[in-house]
Amino acid sequence: MSAALLITVVALPAGAEVLYHVDFEDGTTNASVGTSTTETAAGSNGGGTIDAVPNPISDSGNSSAYVGRCSIPQGYRRAEFSSQRLPTQGQVRRYRWSYLLLDDFFGGADINWLVNAQWKTWPCEVCNSTYDPAICGGCAGIFDDVRIQEGNWDFWYRAEPNCFEHSQPVTTGQWVRFEMLVYWTTEFDGYVRLWRDGVLVYSLDDIRTLFTSF
């Protein structure tokens, strides 16, 4: 199983500070702004690879010469690519990225849970009495994530008591661009905006996006 990924933060509002940017155009997975980390440990919990490869489909969604490709062989489960840790409390953050799933992506696959992106606390691996009741659907400190389930991209927003889910249909054979704007806050004045290919598809207001004891 393999998928291509473009993480880009172009055309930001005037004066906006770019904190992380990688477009793979130099033929590597290095970030041009910030730092990139990969986790492709061997064994049943890892075993995947992340490489910069020529763009297999150049279209209006992404005309880049090179893109990042995550590949996970059968019997393995993980190839992770992440930015440096960034402060969130009281901050507005804009995230932009693109996906490409080739036409044969689902061929022969039985997928019931496939995570494509996560926004986490640190340390996110800790499951305890602080995290467990504060994160919708379990601990591990994952506030928001994007999953493929039943033919949809499922966006989960998970800071109790504001638990929301929004689905967008998965398409294959073309690039899909997502953009998400989040006001990260422990108060009930947070918000989320989600765009797909430049069209606003989901909006949340007056929600808590971080748990109180964050």
Side-chain angles (χ1 to χ4, degrees):
M1 177 181 294
S2 65
L5 172 69
L6 174 74
I7 304 173
T8 182
V9 285
V10 298
L12 288 173
E17 181 185 6
V18 177
L19 300 175
Y20 178 72
H21 178 204
V22 57
D23 58 15
F24 310 102
E25 287 286 66
D26 65 353
T28 76
T29 59
N30 297 329
S32 58
V33 179
T35 58
S36 291
T37 301
T38 59
E39 180 183 329
T40 56
S44 60
N45 198 43
T49 60
I50 302 172
D51 305 289
V53 299
N55 187 351
I57 298 178
S58 181
D59 60 21
S60 60
N62 179 15
S63 59
S64 298
Y66 283 83
V67 296
R69 180 183 63 189
C70 302
S71 298
I72 304 174
Q74 184 174 354
Y76 298 92
R77 57 181 295 193
R78 185 185 301 245
E80 291 194 342
F81 190 79
S82 60
S83 78
Q84 74 274 24
R85 299 195 298 272
L86 297 169
T88 52
Q89 167 64 18
Q91 301 293 317
V92 176
R93 300 292 191 215
R94 184 185 303 266
Y95 307 90
R96 289 177 174 168
W97 71 100
S98 299
Y99 290 120
L100 169 66
L101 303 181
L102 297 177
D103 286 332
D104 62 353
F105 182 79
F106 295 103
D110 181 13
I111 298 173
N112 58 20
W113 184 71
L114 174 60
V115 176
N116 298 87
Q118 295 175 328
W119 288 260
K120 301 180 179 181
T121 62
W122 184 264
C124 57
E125 294 81 5
V126 177
C127 294
N128 56 38
S129 58
T130 297
Y131 281 40
D132 204 7
I135 304 294
C136 310
C139 54
I142 301 170
F143 291 120
D144 301 345
D145 60 354
V146 185
R147 313 174 185 187
I148 289 181
Q149 295 187 126
E150 299 179 350
N152 291 313
W153 302 102
D154 285 347
F155 290 77
W156 288 33
Y157 302 99
R158 303 175 59 191
E160 287 279 8
N162 296 138
C163 309
F164 298 95
E165 179 179 355
H166 174 73
S167 295
Q168 285 285 311
V170 166
T171 55
T172 60
Q174 67 184 58
W175 284 94
V176 178
R177 292 178 290 113
F178 285 112
E179 178 173 338
M180 189 167 69
L181 185 71
V182 182
Y183 174 40
W184 294 108
T185 175
T186 58
E187 305 298 327
F188 289 90
D189 59 351
Y191 57 82
V192 172
R193 304 285 185 268
L194 178 68
W195 290 265
R196 175 175 178 156
D197 294 328
V199 177
L200 181 66
V201 294
Y202 194 52
S203 182
L204 294 170
D205 289 288
D206 301 322
I207 62 169
R208 183 169 63 177
T209 49
L210 298 172
F211 60 87
T212 302
S213 57
F214 174 74

